[in-house]
Amino acid sequence: MIDLEPVATPGAPLARRNPVAKLAAAMVFTIVLVATLDPVAPAIAIAVELAVLPLFGVRYRVLARRAWPLLAAAVGILVTLVLFAADRSGRVLVDAGPVLVTEGVLVTALGLVLRMLAVALPGIIVFATTDPTELADALIQNAKAPARFAIGALAAFRLVPLLEQEWRMISMARRARGVDAGRNPVAKLRLFASTAFTLLVGAIRRGTRLAVAMDARGFDAGTPRTVARRQRFTRADALLVVAAALLAAAALTTSILLGTFRPLLG
């Protein structure tokens, strides 16, 4: 069963905001954080994101369940940078044979990992609190996006759960034919790559059929289309975008005042 409905409490104050406003607020909040490499600004941003999470009606347990791949990737990046980064400047913190951890490499690794989390969390929050159909309607009405793009994005969101089901079906079919890696890690990696390639081919074929069907229904004709559900961009939605910009600027200003600001360029 395809299910990609929002998991937030429907009556939460920020969950009711216009989808375009939430998307714009997330983009404004994260673009400012890309300007610095220090760990202070993204750490403040993460604290702000976690603090406003109840206002979106998302429980922390739900966020942890949806973001665990991101956390696993962050740990992997942190360990990789600490062990193999070329920059070993600063005070030595750990010197255990081939493992050399310095203050400079730790600050760089923490800055990169925290920035990745700070940039990714707003997107997770937005899509966890937004119905895909409402997002497509708001993109067409408020952001003036082409109907072809908006409905295509809606279809992509609706079809995402199929990937997990198809992965399971491919794995079960191969197991029924006796194709199993057992405990061999090399065979598991080879089987994973072949399954992923099969899934990619199926996704491309489905996307091609969907594009042909959309063209047959006139989504690329340039003819104005009517909408069934009205999406309004109110003053509260504009305030959400402004508040996101002010919070991001405050995090960046704090980093500058503390002397930890490290510009991405220059």
Side-chain angles (χ1 to χ4, degrees):
M1 179 179 178
I2 300 177
D3 184 17
L4 195 62
E5 299 303 324
V7 297
T9 304
L14 297 184
R16 300 196 307 264
R17 299 276 61 85
N18 186 285
V20 169
K22 290 188 286 186
L23 190 61
M27 293 178 62
V28 169
F29 191 76
T30 55
I31 286 175
V32 177
L33 298 176
V34 179
T36 179
L37 298 175
D38 73 288
V40 174
I44 296 175
I46 292 174
V48 171
E49 292 162 3
L50 294 178
V52 302
L53 198 62
L55 297 178
F56 283 93
V58 180
R59 295 184 297 273
Y60 292 101
R61 183 174 59 184
V62 174
L63 178 65
R65 187 171 65 248
R66 292 204 165 199
W68 74 263
L70 180 66
L71 297 176
V75 173
I77 292 174
L78 179 63
V79 173
T80 302
L81 289 177
V82 168
L83 294 180
F84 302 107
D87 181 18
R88 297 292 171 178
S89 61
R91 183 166 55 93
V92 176
L93 301 177
V94 177
D95 188 1
V99 179
L100 178 63
V101 181
T102 64
E103 191 176 69
V105 71
L106 187 60
V107 170
T108 302
L110 283 176
L112 180 60
V113 169
L114 290 176
R115 187 173 57 164
M116 181 187 71
L117 293 175
V119 169
L121 279 178
I124 296 175
I125 294 174
V126 168
F127 290 107
T129 60
T130 304
D131 180 78
T133 303
E134 293 182 356
L135 176 60
D137 291 338
L139 286 174
I140 295 173
Q141 299 175 46
N142 305 127
K144 306 303 179 183
R148 180 186 177 93
F149 168 79
I151 304 302
L154 170 61
F157 280 116
R158 291 297 185 189
L159 292 176
V160 162
L162 283 181
L163 296 178
E164 180 182 358
Q165 298 178 14
E166 286 196 356
W167 184 283
R168 190 180 302 113
M169 291 177 60
I170 294 172
S171 301
M172 292 174 62
R174 291 186 171 183
R175 194 177 299 115
R177 296 197 306 268
V179 181
D180 193 2
R183 297 184 178 180
N184 189 337
V186 178
K188 284 185 177 181
L189 183 60
R190 188 183 301 114
L191 187 61
F192 175 85
S194 63
T195 305
F197 180 76
T198 304
L199 193 67
L200 176 62
V201 171
I204 293 175
R205 289 176 177 174
R206 185 180 296 108
T208 303
R209 291 195 299 267
L210 178 61
V212 172
M214 290 179 64
D215 286 342
R217 286 162 176 79
F219 279 95
D220 198 30
T223 305
R225 307 179 68 89
T226 58
V227 292
R229 293 165 293 271
R230 192 68 182 165
Q231 296 290 333
R232 302 186 182 279
F233 196 94
T234 63
R235 182 180 300 177
D237 299 319
L239 289 177
L240 175 62
V241 179
V242 173
L246 292 177
L247 290 173
L252 202 62
T253 303
T254 303
S255 173
I256 295 174
L257 294 178
L258 292 178
T260 60
F261 178 71
R262 298 172 57 194
L264 180 64
L265 300 175

